[in-house]
Amino acid sequence: MSVPLDHIRNFSIVAHIDHGKSTLADRLIQLTGGLEAREMKEQVLDSMDIERERGITIKAQTVRLTYKHTDGETYILNLIDTPGHVDFAYEVSRSLAAVEGSLLVVDASQGVEAQTLANVYHAMDANHELVVVLNKIDLPAAEPERIKQQIEDVIGIDAENAVEISAKSGLNIDKVLAAIVERLPAPKGDINAPLKALLVDSWYDTYLGVVVLIRVIDGTVKKGQKIRMMNANAAYELDRVGVFTPKLVDIGELGPGEIGFFTASIKEVADTNVGDTITDDRRPTATPFPGFRPAQPVVFCGLFPVDASDFEELRAAMGKLRLNDASFSYEMETSAALGFGFRCGFLGLLHLEIIQERLAREFNLDLIATAPSVVYQVALTTGETLELHNPADLPDVTRIDEIREPWIKATILTPDEYLGSILKLCQDRRGIQVNLTYVGNRAMVEYELPLNEVVFDFYDRLKSMSKGYASFDYTLADYRAGDLVKLSVLVNSEPVDALSMLVHRHAAESRGRGMCEKLKDLIPPHLFVIPIQAAIGGKIIARETIRALRKDVTAKCYGGDATRKRKLLEAQKKGKKRMRQFGSVEIPQEAFIEALKMGDE
């Protein structure tokens, strides 16, 4: 039997990274008896090894909790734990669409950070009721009163009756549960209407096939029922219907307002589009949901196996990762220097790093990644526009009308003393300042920046300049025409396609010089002179030379005429000239990896 609507509360937890979302989720599960003491572990909902090691949440997770309120009634609480990092913002937005309210968790010592703002705005866009929770109030540095004032000043929501807790020690967690029941709205829905459910997430399970997470709006979902996905236009018969407590529990049917899962022998996650509407096959609902925009990859890079024989394994691994991460895209590409590999699209640099780490860790693959680049729009003189993912594919300059690059709107929150160096960093990266405001002793700077300047090492530089105190969040703004040129690297007059990149004309010379200096140290000397050049089109803008290894051919000459020595040296010179013409330069794999390292300034 499905649960009455007024006894259900659906909520998510939003916060900046490290403000204690996952720990709070642990305490809520513990207090409501979702898991027994022996099954509890730190960060129960962070199931991936990487999530546990880095202490971040990557995939949104869900749990159904049963809570007995002081008024004697029993409530069902559905919690969705969301990631706090900007690269996984699409995970956040779709999780928020499935619930009615949010707990806004703010660290009582650090206060409001850039991603706190971003995630609160996501929640407000979804018309959420917010309950403010101040975490870590047992720390000596906690200043709950000041932070409450800050929340009111920056976000503009009332923080007067914020719940003050310590998720680590479990202090006041019962008050959070009471606040959820008392302050968050119950879901709406009609049990007799045709089935209408939102597909929130899906992932691949080795035993069950694809597991689909849904939020039922109207009607009921029962085991054995035939459902239809309206967007994908596919019908399936349900094998299992259940909920997570966080363990998988089968409960034959889900009613309006409930969040649960079903399996239906679906083979691939690609068949289940997040945001799709699920309805009854015989009695469909009239209006489907508008759906979510698919996640747009922003950063692209090539991934190649170090050992060419691993290519098939890499292809299989990519396919498996794609099963669980719909925002990751890839296509095959070849490179003269690196052989066969894939061109992959990611939502940001952290996403790229995590996928690379998962490939290395879960599939034991050694990979080389090319320099990350963004998607450019190239307007040709014929009037058509191309999307350029790889700088090596840039068409001939005479056919190009203009190159447009993506710009982002960045929000940076920083303590006052680091403001000067951060403004300089943004100016050096061709940034345009939009706004600068103060919240207490912290500055909030808004900048417009070209994404390709941010992709390299902006985030690392920002963190090191501010000793880790500055926080950074961005959204894509638009594409703008820029004075961009293709920087090619030539080794012994041969272009190396894996090292070519698009840069702004002003930065081209220093970038090229840096690349040449780096390669000079990385490529071992050969028996002939090797020139390393950086070029824009036909114009060489930087050059370094690797000196030749030299054999002493005159060693056997003792005494006698000087012409004997000269003859031998001339013969050596001719030989070297011929070698330089026909000799190929071996660039070791390590040199590629080093030359393509982030932050190649």
Side-chain angles (χ1 to χ4, degrees):
M1 177 57 202
S2 50
V3 186
L5 280 171
D6 56 354
H7 282 63
I8 302 176
R9 297 288 182 274
N10 297 324
F11 68 99
S12 64
I13 304 181
V14 293
H16 186 73
I17 312 152
D18 263 358
H19 280 200
K21 283 193 299 290
S22 299
T23 312
L24 175 58
D26 289 354
R27 292 294 91 76
L28 295 175
I29 292 168
Q30 209 172 357
L31 201 65
T32 53
L35 288 175
E36 291 166 30
R38 65 189 170 79
E39 298 170 306
M40 274 308 285
K41 55 182 184 191
E42 294 281 308
Q43 270 84 40
V44 169
L45 298 183
D46 290 347
S47 48
M48 288 198 277
D49 290 344
I50 294 187
E51 292 185 308
R52 309 183 68 79
E53 269 171 40
R54 289 177 170 234
I56 57 175
T57 303
I58 296 167
K59 293 293 291 175
Q61 299 281 2
T62 165
V63 195
R64 175 181 173 124
L65 310 169
T66 310
Y67 167 61
K68 210 168 169 56
H69 191 38
T70 43
D71 61 9
E73 297 285 339
T74 302
Y75 290 87
I76 295 290
L77 311 179
N78 290 309
L79 151 70
I80 295 188
D81 181 26
T82 58
H85 204 282
V86 57
D87 284 12
F88 306 110
Y90 77 102
E91 286 271 351
V92 179
S93 58
R94 67 187 193 198
S95 307
L96 296 182
V99 295
E100 285 81 28
S102 293
L103 296 183
L104 167 63
V105 179
V106 180
D107 184 323
S109 58
Q110 293 189 327
V112 178
E113 307 259 3
Q115 257 124 33
T116 317
L117 277 174
N119 291 340
V120 166
Y121 292 144
H122 277 309
M124 287 176 171
D125 289 345
N127 295 325
H128 277 200
E129 197 62 48
L130 293 169
V131 170
V132 181
V133 176
L134 288 185
N135 191 15
K136 309 192 189 182
I137 61 159
D138 53 345
L139 290 181
E143 303 174 72
E145 292 310 313
R146 183 176 73 80
I147 302 301
K148 281 184 194 173
Q149 191 55 51
Q150 192 187 20
I151 291 172
E152 291 184 5
D153 293 346
V154 180
I155 303 173
I157 55 175
D158 180 22
E160 191 48 48
N161 44 8
V163 189
E164 298 181 11
I165 65 159
S166 162
K168 199 166 190 178
S169 66
L171 177 71
N172 288 345
I173 299 296
D174 49 342
K175 289 187 181 168
V176 176
L177 288 164
I180 291 168
V181 168
E182 290 156 18
R183 296 198 226 159
L184 295 183
K188 296 181 177 66
D190 178 0
I191 195 162
N192 300 315
L195 168 64
K196 181 178 187 180
L198 174 71
L199 198 159
V200 182
D201 199 3
S202 54
W203 59 91
Y204 188 79
D205 182 289
T206 352
Y207 304 110
L208 305 171
V210 176
V211 179
V212 179
L213 182 68
I214 57 166
R215 155 71 202 269
V216 184
I217 307 292
D218 294 326
T220 53
V221 180
K222 293 189 183 74
K223 186 177 170 180
Q225 179 179 7
K226 194 168 186 196
I227 56 115
R228 176 168 291 279
M229 296 187 182
M230 296 178 87
N231 190 1
N233 202 15
Y236 299 100
E237 193 168 306
L238 305 186
D239 305 334
R240 297 176 68 168
V241 172
V243 293
F244 294 99
T245 68
K247 298 186 292 246
L248 282 163
V249 179
D250 286 357
I251 57 161
E253 119 174 34
L254 288 170
E258 293 192 78
I259 295 177
F261 73 90
F262 68 73
T263 61
S265 314
I266 303 171
K267 301 287 182 294
E268 288 216 5
V269 173
D271 302 337
T272 57
N273 305 332
V274 166
D276 203 344
T277 312
I278 293 168
T279 189
D280 191 82
D281 192 37
R282 293 187 196 78
R283 188 174 158 228
T285 178
T287 52
F289 294 106
F292 296 123
R293 286 202 319 271
Q296 287 295 327
V298 220
V299 177
F300 282 81
C301 93
L303 290 179
F304 296 86
V306 169
D307 181 353
S309 61
D310 288 345
F311 177 73
E312 281 307 320
E313 282 172 44
L314 177 61
R315 184 202 293 266
M318 294 270 191
K320 285 179 184 160
L321 275 189
R322 179 85 177 90
L323 282 179
N324 268 357
D325 190 345
S327 57
F328 160 63
S329 58
Y330 65 93
E331 55 189 39
M332 228 184 97
E333 76 166 353
T334 53
S335 148
L338 301 170
F340 287 100
F342 292 95
R343 188 90 195 149
C344 309
F346 307 93
L347 298 170
L349 290 181
L350 180 74
H351 190 203
L352 177 152
E353 216 176 299
I354 293 229
I355 293 273
Q356 254 175 287
E357 201 165 318
R358 284 183 68 183
L359 285 169
R361 191 179 284 202
E362 294 170 29
F363 304 98
N364 292 327
L365 291 165
D366 276 345
L367 300 176
I368 294 175
T370 62
S373 73
V374 296
V375 187
Y376 296 95
Q377 290 178 351
V378 182
L380 301 177
T381 45
T382 55
E384 58 180 316
T385 305
L386 302 177
E387 282 209 339
L388 182 73
H389 294 197
N390 189 344
D393 304 335
L394 190 72
D396 191 74
V397 189
T398 51
R399 294 175 50 213
I400 298 175
D401 186 24
E402 62 177 13
I403 304 175
R404 294 190 282 270
E405 58 179 336
W407 279 64
I408 60 170
K409 191 169 181 212
T411 308
I412 301 169
L413 275 121
T414 170
D416 197 24
E417 61 262 38
Y418 310 117
L419 182 63
S421 49
I422 286 174
L423 291 180
K424 183 175 184 312
L425 175 69
C426 293
Q427 293 297 350
D428 291 348
R429 299 298 167 96
R430 300 191 280 133
I432 300 167
Q433 189 174 325
V434 180
N435 201 350
L436 171 59
T437 48
Y438 273 87
V439 183
N441 62 343
R442 298 179 64 194
M444 183 166 114
V445 198
E446 286 179 24
Y447 254 94
E448 288 181 349
L449 287 154
L451 184 63
N452 72 346
E453 298 282 353
V454 177
V455 158
F456 274 92
D457 58 345
F458 181 84
Y459 193 63
D460 299 341
R461 295 282 284 277
L462 182 76
K463 283 290 180 205
S464 57
M465 274 177 180
S466 64
K467 300 193 171 64
Y469 283 112
S471 57
F472 169 70
D473 186 72
Y474 67 85
T475 49
L476 277 177
D478 53 4
Y479 274 83
R480 301 180 194 173
D483 186 8
L484 299 170
V485 289
K486 178 181 166 187
L487 180 69
S488 317
V489 175
L490 308 166
V491 175
N492 200 18
S493 311
E494 289 290 317
V496 183
D497 61 348
L499 296 177
S500 60
M501 56 175 105
L502 276 183
V503 292
H504 195 267
R505 199 180 291 275
H506 294 316
E509 198 173 317
S510 62
R511 231 355 155 6
R513 195 173 293 129
M515 201 62 136
C516 290
E517 283 168 7
K518 210 166 206 181
L519 285 171
K520 182 187 178 185
D521 299 336
L522 294 168
I523 298 175
H526 288 50
L527 285 167
F528 49 93
V529 172
I530 305 172
I532 300 171
Q533 297 157 315
I536 297 173
K539 183 184 173 196
I540 305 293
I541 54 168
R543 171 180 168 138
E544 291 287 335
T545 309
I546 299 176
R547 293 183 53 182
L549 287 171
R550 188 157 179 207
K551 184 183 171 197
D552 187 2
V553 285
T554 59
K556 60 182 187 218
C557 296
Y558 47 93
D561 191 7
T563 51
R564 285 180 67 200
K565 283 188 180 178
R566 198 169 302 128
K567 200 168 155 191
L568 289 166
L569 288 169
E570 285 298 325
Q572 185 187 33
K573 208 185 215 172
K574 271 190 192 143
K576 281 200 185 300
K577 197 171 173 188
R578 203 165 70 246
M579 250 165 146
R580 174 150 179 228
Q581 239 171 331
F582 303 110
S584 65
V585 178
E586 283 296 312
I587 304 179
Q589 296 283 33
E590 300 82 62
F592 270 112
I593 299 172
E594 280 303 313
L596 295 171
K597 275 264 171 71
M598 299 288 230
D600 53 5
E601 296 298 312

